[in-house]
Amino acid sequence: MEFKNNTFKIVQFTDTHFGNLPHHEDDIRTFNLIDKILTDEKPDLIVHTGDIMWSDGVKNSDKVFQIVMEYFDKYDIPLAITFGNHDSEEGITRSELRDIYEKTISKKPEKKDSFIIDDKENYVITLSGNGEDIAYLYFIDSGADDKLGFGTYEWVLPEQVEWFRHTADKNKKNDGIKRGIIFQHIPIPEYWQSKENILYGVQEETNEAISAPKINTGLFANMLLNGEIWGMLVGHDHENNFDSELFGIHLAFANSSGYQAYGDVAKGATVIEITKDPFEIKTRNIQIDADK
């Protein structure tokens, strides 16, 4: 994708949790939220970091997903997605969801270095300007449940970590500029440390402060050792929307977007603005009808 001017703007939605048809009034509110934010912000790229819908207990989940994709597509803005733990719990697979996305979205960013393991896709979107790569966006699908029973949620697979290490090393320019951003659904365990150094936003999740897997497969270590990774933005925890920092790496939660999802933190989205010259990455939250 190309910079149209000096700043490339991304709007990140997460945890919209669309449910059964006909749409619940909360789903209508979520569609209205999407309308307002995209109309106001006019981004260059839309990112959705998973739990796009409920699939467990949802009839015709393929149709629900297609309707959501069609809704985003009407804006004629490129859309990139990665899946969360609820998207394919029941009645539909990740492959089937990707097929609907491919057939429905008319403006798809070019996926580079696509790698699928256990039906989880990982890929890169390159942001370029004047023939030069400016930034790299890494998308890593999250899993669902911890199949070994050590915790609640599945970890980033070792094969996914190795894919990231190899791909991010290939993209290095050795100039010290942190131009890589990871988008995924479930936070990694290091968020437990980084929440002690919050830069902005709130940490109000009460079930577990951070709903991360108990098994650590080393993704953060590879982000750090690469030297050119700005950080990571996730969803999953609806009552966390903070940006934090650990060893110079940003670990951030996007603002939860869906009114069918639990939580008292006002719904909204997160904006990521990447400036080309001088290079800078800034994030901010948007909240609709926010009272806090």
Side-chain angles (χ1 to χ4, degrees):
M1 296 191 67
E2 292 286 329
F3 275 71
K4 297 175 183 175
N5 48 48
N6 199 45
T7 299
F8 191 97
K9 182 189 286 190
I10 301 167
V11 166
Q12 179 185 358
F13 296 99
T14 194
D15 296 84
T16 44
H17 284 281
F18 289 100
N20 274 305
L21 300 173
H23 290 301
H24 188 277
E25 63 182 75
D26 285 341
D27 288 337
I28 302 300
R29 293 178 70 196
T30 302
F31 281 128
N32 291 339
L33 177 148
I34 291 168
D35 284 337
K36 177 169 177 51
I37 291 175
L38 293 181
T39 300
D40 289 349
E41 293 293 333
K42 299 177 176 60
D44 300 295
L45 174 67
I46 303 167
V47 166
H48 198 308
T49 43
D51 283 4
I52 297 166
M53 64 175 184
W54 301 104
S55 58
D56 187 8
V58 173
K59 297 177 182 178
N60 302 315
S61 53
D62 57 340
K63 183 62 175 176
V64 173
F65 187 75
Q66 183 172 340
I67 289 170
V68 176
M69 293 297 98
E70 289 172 349
Y71 203 86
F72 279 113
D73 196 54
K74 73 178 185 177
Y75 280 94
D76 200 34
I77 299 170
L79 170 69
I81 62 174
T82 186
F83 294 120
N85 52 300
H86 287 297
D87 287 305
S88 57
E89 281 183 308
E90 182 182 24
I92 198 163
T93 66
R94 301 281 180 89
S95 296
E96 290 168 329
L97 292 174
R98 284 193 296 271
D99 188 54
I100 294 170
Y101 164 86
E102 291 292 335
K103 291 177 178 177
T104 307
I105 299 299
S106 56
K107 295 190 75 171
K108 295 180 288 290
E110 180 186 359
K111 294 179 179 180
K112 296 183 178 179
D113 297 294
S114 176
F115 168 68
I116 297 175
I117 175 75
D118 194 25
D119 211 12
K120 302 175 181 70
E121 185 177 24
N122 316 274
Y123 62 92
V124 183
I125 294 173
T126 302
L127 306 184
S128 305
N130 299 322
E132 179 184 2
D133 291 351
I134 306 297
Y136 300 101
L137 312 180
Y138 299 89
F139 291 79
I140 300 176
D141 266 353
S142 292
D145 299 330
D146 179 342
K147 297 178 179 66
L148 298 182
F150 296 116
T152 304
Y153 299 106
E154 190 176 8
W155 46 90
V156 181
L157 298 178
E159 295 90 343
Q160 293 176 293
V161 175
E162 176 59 21
W163 168 86
F164 170 76
R165 184 196 66 77
H166 174 77
T167 307
D169 281 354
K170 183 178 66 173
N171 290 334
K172 282 188 68 171
K173 296 191 174 187
N174 298 308
D175 57 6
I177 294 176
K178 295 184 176 182
R179 57 173 54 84
I181 305 174
I182 297 175
F183 292 96
Q184 65 181 48
H185 183 71
I186 295 177
I188 55 178
E190 282 81 2
Y191 275 77
W192 280 102
Q193 295 169 261
S194 71
K195 74 179 179 65
E196 304 303 322
N197 185 29
I198 290 176
L199 305 176
Y200 75 86
V202 300
Q203 189 282 301
E204 296 186 1
E205 195 75 22
T206 54
N207 184 25
E208 271 194 302
I210 304 293
S211 300
K214 300 301 182 186
I215 294 178
N216 192 328
T217 51
L219 179 57
F220 180 83
N222 282 277
M223 294 165 62
L224 181 65
L225 295 174
N226 177 273
E228 296 183 13
I229 304 300
W230 175 88
M232 166 185 287
L233 292 117
V234 302
H236 193 54
D237 289 357
H238 307 167
E239 305 229 65
N240 293 338
N241 69 357
F242 64 81
D243 184 14
S244 62
E245 201 171 53
L246 178 65
F247 306 145
I249 300 288
H250 288 260
L251 296 178
F253 284 94
N255 200 102
S256 181
S257 306
Y259 289 97
Q260 279 239 48
Y262 72 84
D264 294 327
V265 174
K267 302 303 180 182
T270 295
V271 175
I272 303 101
E273 293 175 302
I274 305 170
T275 302
K276 184 167 52 176
D277 187 20
F279 186 86
E280 186 178 25
I281 298 173
K282 288 184 176 180
T283 66
R284 57 182 167 88
N285 291 331
I286 305 166
Q287 294 184 319
I288 305 299
D289 300 326
D291 59 4
K292 60 174 66 180

